[in-house]
Amino acid sequence: MKWLFALRCIYIFFGFIAVVCLLEIYRLREIFFQTTEVNLPIIDYLIDLQSNVRQQAIHFIQSKFCKKDPQVSKIDNYDLSQYKYQCPRHRYASRIIERSPLIIYIEQFLTKNEIRHLLKLTERNYEHSAIFESNGGKSFNKYRTSTSAFIKTHETPIVECIERRFAQFQGDVDVDCIEPLQVVRYTNDQQYDPHVDWLTHPDTLKNGGQRVTTYFTYLQVNCSMGETEFVAIKFNKSLHERFCDILICDEESTTRGLRFRPLPGNTIFWYNMNEYAEPDALTIHAGRPPGKDGVKIGLNFQQEPENADSPPLGLSLSLYSIKGIEMKMNSDQFDQYIPEPSSSSTQASISPALSPKENYTREKFQRHLKFDKTQNVILDNSNSKNPAVCWCSFGFPAVLDTNGVPKKIPNFVSCKKCFTIYFYVLRVWLWMGVRYRSRMLLL
Ligand SMILES: O=C(O)CCC(=O)C(=O)O
Ligand SMILES: [Fe+2]
């Protein structure tokens, strides 16, 4: 009978295991259906999954290759839990307000929790806001009377997620090509007179490059004033009236520029450069005062070119916009632009001179610029009287004649480090008079 008893024990044992398994399967099923059934359509689920995988890959790569600042500030009064391991998925809505300059309005770009965190992080660090002078120096004056505080790049997991969101909006640009976030605070009659965000002095440009785009986000406002006004873009009833929920539309509107209401969490995004890589004077804007007992706090975020050696964002766009010309001018026709060798030349050439009739393709010319500097050089233009910003990275491709005198190839510029040759067009800048004009021309 002993074996019968053993058999019963085995039955009971396996029966017990089976019950436990069934209970476990039932529990897992509940968890599974919670994530798929509760208002999360399958497509959202897949997007989540994909962004999680990508986020984990980024974290893995960073942990392997990047030196990360281990000092993560300890700030309470905000919920860090969602940000600890990955950035939470965040939805926002955007609307195009202007096409030229491109201005996009992004609603609820930052959450209340993120705003609280940024305010807490900076509450004790405000100093008088500075402005960049045209000579590259900083100054403090009545044009900008607000106070501001900077946040270190990637200072906290929340800051890093905010930076990533800004970078992702522009197509995952390099998150390290940004200036540190700057929180600006206005009270009463404090304001920022009309100004542009792009930089003019070569020294400030060398630090990180031109400010290609700006995001201005409202963090905290207790007033209906304190708007951001694009003074050179006139309010056009037929175009702008549909945006009266975010723009100020009143009897003054038609005589004023576009005035954005300060609405917390919302962002104005714009391009500081036009498609010809020139700073866009139409982006001139002002931060208006919040008025008596008013407080307005905003966040500045500026993105710079990803690689100082590559053409500024605008220049590659200009290549695109003059594609028609580019197409007509195929590589074989490039030689037509190469100047004739000097006819006064009597000296024997040190190196074989470039014959204009030689079938010189652009690619061949680029190779010469790179590897054989005896025939072709890039002429520097950054020391000219009023250099435009792009001359830090670009010069004129030139052919050395038999006397070794460089002859410019008209209508082309070449990247000083990458040697790529671009066709460019000369545009005369006629906005707001001479002061801006001389600085902005490509030539
Ligand atoms: O305060 C504003 O509305 C705009 C601020 C601004 O343009 C800036 O800080 O550069
Ligand atoms: Fe600004």
Side-chain angles (χ1 to χ4, degrees):
M1 281 298 121
K2 260 185 186 173
W3 63 267
L4 206 63
F5 177 72
L7 202 64
R8 272 199 196 126
C9 286
I10 291 170
Y11 279 152
I12 291 168
F13 177 73
F14 279 110
F16 180 72
I17 299 267
V19 169
V20 169
C21 286
L22 281 173
L23 283 175
E24 196 58 19
I25 288 168
Y26 184 75
R27 201 176 62 86
L28 287 174
R29 179 190 148 278
E30 269 191 349
I31 291 173
F32 177 73
F33 281 110
Q34 240 173 35
T35 53
T36 54
E37 271 178 7
V38 178
N39 287 337
L40 196 66
I42 195 73
I43 197 78
D44 277 7
Y45 176 74
L46 291 174
I47 289 169
D48 263 353
L49 200 66
Q50 185 216 28
S51 77
N52 285 355
V53 169
R54 194 162 65 156
Q55 209 68 48
Q56 272 163 21
I58 289 169
H59 277 279
F60 175 75
I61 291 165
Q62 279 181 346
S63 66
K64 289 276 172 270
F65 302 113
C66 298
K67 272 190 254 138
K68 284 215 115 191
D69 185 0
Q71 299 260 314
V72 171
S73 310
K74 288 206 168 50
I75 302 285
D76 33 34
N77 191 26
Y78 66 92
D79 178 11
L80 182 67
S81 58
Q82 300 174 67
Y83 294 83
K84 224 168 184 172
Y85 304 109
Q86 64 188 49
C87 300
R89 194 158 60 89
H90 178 66
R91 281 177 189 270
Y92 49 81
S94 47
R95 280 189 269 176
I96 298 174
I97 310 297
E98 271 296 308
R99 287 201 312 178
S100 181
L102 181 63
I103 304 181
I104 298 177
Y105 192 80
I106 316 169
E107 271 157 278
Q108 296 309 304
F109 208 30
L110 298 193
T111 65
K112 287 200 178 96
N113 189 45
E114 290 161 352
I115 290 175
R116 230 182 8 250
H117 176 58
L118 294 178
L119 295 177
K120 186 88 186 147
L121 207 56
T122 48
E123 68 185 352
R124 281 185 238 288
N125 304 336
Y126 287 98
E127 286 175 359
H128 198 300
S129 306
I131 56 172
F132 275 118
E133 292 289 350
S134 53
N135 64 9
K138 277 186 183 174
S139 76
F140 304 92
N141 57 40
K142 63 181 169 45
Y143 295 110
R144 193 181 189 194
T145 48
S146 57
T147 51
S148 42
F150 287 93
I151 297 173
K152 277 193 244 121
T153 314
H154 312 332
E155 187 166 336
T156 66
I158 292 189
V159 169
E160 191 166 346
C161 287
I162 293 172
E163 291 163 347
R164 285 195 186 288
R165 191 171 311 144
F166 284 128
Q168 271 165 7
F169 184 74
Q170 290 185 79
D172 264 333
V173 295
D174 187 345
V175 79
D176 290 320
C177 296
I178 51 165
E179 285 183 29
L181 300 180
Q182 183 199 32
V183 176
V184 279
R185 184 170 193 273
Y186 302 80
T187 54
N188 301 311
D189 59 353
Q190 290 180 341
Q191 46 90 43
Y192 195 172
D193 267 348
H195 66 281
V196 286
D197 287 350
W198 32 267
L199 306 167
T200 49
H201 197 268
D203 288 350
T204 40
L205 284 165
K206 259 183 220 151
N207 286 340
Q210 186 55 280
R211 288 167 165 172
V212 183
T213 56
T214 296
Y215 294 81
F216 188 75
T217 307
Y218 302 105
L219 300 181
Q220 196 182 58
V221 190
N222 75 345
C223 50
S224 55
M225 293 160 68
E227 66 271 21
T228 306
E229 179 170 358
F230 284 78
V231 292
I233 305 173
K234 292 291 163 237
F235 181 88
N236 176 334
K237 213 163 178 248
S238 61
L239 287 178
H240 298 128
E241 214 170 37
R242 72 195 67 193
F243 301 123
C244 284
D245 56 331
I246 50 165
L247 293 177
I248 297 182
C249 303
D250 56 17
E251 56 290 350
E252 269 186 50
S253 292
T254 45
T255 56
R256 300 278 299 263
L258 280 194
R259 286 173 296 158
F260 285 88
R261 296 171 190 278
L263 300 170
N266 295 0
T267 298
I268 317 168
F269 164 86
W270 68 92
Y271 263 84
N272 291 308
M273 316 282 284
N274 68 15
E275 69 270 39
Y276 293 96
E278 298 156 333
D280 194 333
L282 289 175
T283 60
I284 188 164
H285 57 282
R288 298 299 183 199
K292 196 169 173 325
D293 300 328
V295 179
K296 165 183 141 186
I297 305 182
L299 176 75
N300 263 320
F301 175 100
Q302 261 110 12
Q303 192 254 317
E304 292 162 352
E306 297 198 272
N307 175 0
D309 297 343
S310 62
L313 206 56
L315 200 57
S316 44
L317 282 179
S318 93
L319 246 192
Y320 184 66
S321 67
I322 56 169
K323 213 168 175 183
I325 304 169
E326 279 280 301
M327 305 285 257
K328 267 194 268 152
M329 206 172 48
N330 62 31
S331 304
D332 300 341
Q333 290 168 307
F334 181 68
D335 59 3
Q336 290 172 8
Y337 289 84
I338 296 176
E340 298 286 338
S342 168
S343 53
S344 63
S345 154
T346 47
Q347 218 176 306
S349 71
I350 306 161
S351 60
L354 191 66
S355 154
K357 296 298 154 222
E358 193 181 335
N359 186 13
Y360 238 76
T361 61
R362 183 182 300 210
E363 291 69 34
K364 210 162 162 188
F365 200 89
Q366 273 168 206
R367 270 202 307 279
H368 272 263
L369 278 177
K370 196 165 181 179
F371 299 115
D372 176 12
K373 298 195 172 44
T374 58
Q375 287 184 15
N376 311 309
V377 287
I378 297 177
L379 294 180
D380 192 30
N381 195 39
S382 56
N383 295 326
S384 66
K385 210 159 153 224
N386 283 306
V389 288
C390 66
W391 294 120
C392 295
S393 317
F394 288 83
F396 294 110
V399 186
L400 294 179
D401 72 7
T402 46
N403 294 325
V405 179
K407 292 201 145 194
K408 234 197 258 180
I409 303 177
N411 302 324
F412 289 90
V413 288
S414 180
C415 177
K416 283 182 195 166
K417 288 198 180 159
C418 61
F419 303 101
T420 314
I421 294 174
Y422 296 93
F423 183 83
Y424 78 101
V425 280
L426 172 65
R427 297 222 317 164
V428 179
W429 195 267
L430 278 177
W431 197 84
M432 279 190 78
V434 183
R435 204 167 138 249
Y436 283 114
R437 184 172 58 179
S438 53
R439 281 199 205 130
M440 289 181 209
L441 298 180
L442 267 172
L443 192 67

